[in-house]
Amino acid sequence: MNLQADTSGLPAHELVYRRLRDMILFGELEPGQPVTIQGLVEHMQVGMTPVREALRRLTAAGALEFQGNRRIIVPVLDASAIEELTLARIALEPQLARRAAQRCDADGVARLSATDARLDAAIARGDVRGYLVENHQFHAEMNAIASAPILTDLVEGLWLRFGPSLRVVCGQFGTRNLPDQHKAILAALDARDPEAAAQAMRADVQQGMTQITEGLA
């Protein structure tokens, strides 16, 4: 990917950060896979400085760990880490769903429904990366509707920690049996029912994290 060709107007360091974040989030970098700064520079076709800045931000967020000899890895989750991530997600994400139900309009439900339809299509064709992208997009769009930037930033940090492990599990077992509660979430948002939205999100989080636990056991 040549970031120099990007026309979004964002500075180079932000483009590099977002690209590296997506590589982690959607499984291009697997848990425990070592990479080097120079290797990332060559892969992303950018300078050393924006790569270092992106790595600094992602390491501070817990999405990466520095090893010896200038190596970086995506952390490998153990059972204790998965338990903590589950507790944190259950504490935060239902609150975002509750707020979204209070603020969502018909256009918001339509956008989320379209994203969920793309997710279903990715599942049907066995497209693991497509599933991961659209699943994250669904949650990101709902969180934007919730209009709670502090909570959303916290949740994004959690997703960076468990996303690579979800990719591993999907790679092992495919997409067809992936559970989600998106239809229940959409119904709750459409009905403007905050409690139903929170309950559906709690179930969605629990199902996903249980799948990671069982898949990595």
Side-chain angles (χ1 to χ4, degrees):
M1 175 185 179
N2 188 343
L3 295 175
Q4 302 300 325
D6 194 291
T7 58
S8 67
L10 292 171
H13 67 85
E14 182 65 23
L15 291 170
V16 172
Y17 168 76
R18 294 188 183 195
R19 171 62 176 135
L20 188 53
R21 177 197 63 189
D22 288 354
M23 289 172 66
I24 296 167
L25 194 59
F26 304 133
E28 288 183 56
L29 299 179
E30 296 183 4
Q33 173 189 344
V35 295
T36 64
I37 295 174
Q38 185 59 44
L40 290 171
V41 167
E42 294 174 0
H43 175 72
M44 303 174 78
Q45 301 179 39
V46 295
M48 186 77 72
T49 299
V51 170
R52 287 186 183 276
E53 173 61 16
L55 292 173
R56 183 194 65 76
R57 291 172 64 182
L58 290 163
T59 302
L64 293 172
E65 290 181 355
F66 277 108
Q67 304 288 297
N69 298 322
R70 298 184 179 180
R71 287 171 173 260
I72 306 101
I73 65 166
V74 175
V76 177
L77 297 182
D78 58 19
S80 178
I82 294 172
E83 180 183 12
E84 286 190 59
L85 287 167
T86 302
L87 290 171
R89 291 190 69 198
I90 288 175
L92 297 175
E93 292 189 53
Q95 300 303 321
L96 285 165
R98 181 178 285 111
R99 289 174 62 95
Q102 295 168 340
R103 293 162 173 78
C104 196
D105 57 17
D107 288 342
V109 172
R111 288 195 302 274
L112 286 165
S113 296
T115 301
D116 193 51
R118 293 194 300 271
L119 184 153
D120 289 342
I123 290 175
R125 64 177 180 267
D127 179 359
V128 170
R129 192 180 192 283
Y131 162 78
L132 294 170
V133 169
E134 299 299 346
N135 184 53
H136 178 266
Q137 182 68 15
F138 180 92
H139 287 263
E141 288 176 351
M142 193 208 68
N143 292 345
I145 293 169
S147 189
I150 295 173
L151 291 178
T152 297
D153 284 349
L154 291 170
V155 167
E156 281 291 324
L158 299 176
W159 276 65
L160 278 170
R161 289 175 181 260
F162 76 80
S165 295
L166 179 60
R167 173 64 179 83
V168 170
V169 171
C170 291
Q172 290 175 341
F173 301 107
T175 61
R176 291 189 178 274
N177 295 318
L178 291 173
D180 70 58
Q181 294 290 322
H182 292 179
K183 302 299 185 295
I185 293 169
L186 286 167
L189 295 178
D190 193 39
R192 311 296 190 269
D193 188 335
E195 292 308 313
Q199 290 175 12
M201 182 58 71
R202 187 175 296 108
D204 185 76
V205 168
Q206 189 67 65
Q207 284 184 350
M209 298 307 289
T210 296
Q211 187 175 47
I212 290 174
T213 300
E214 294 175 350
L216 298 182

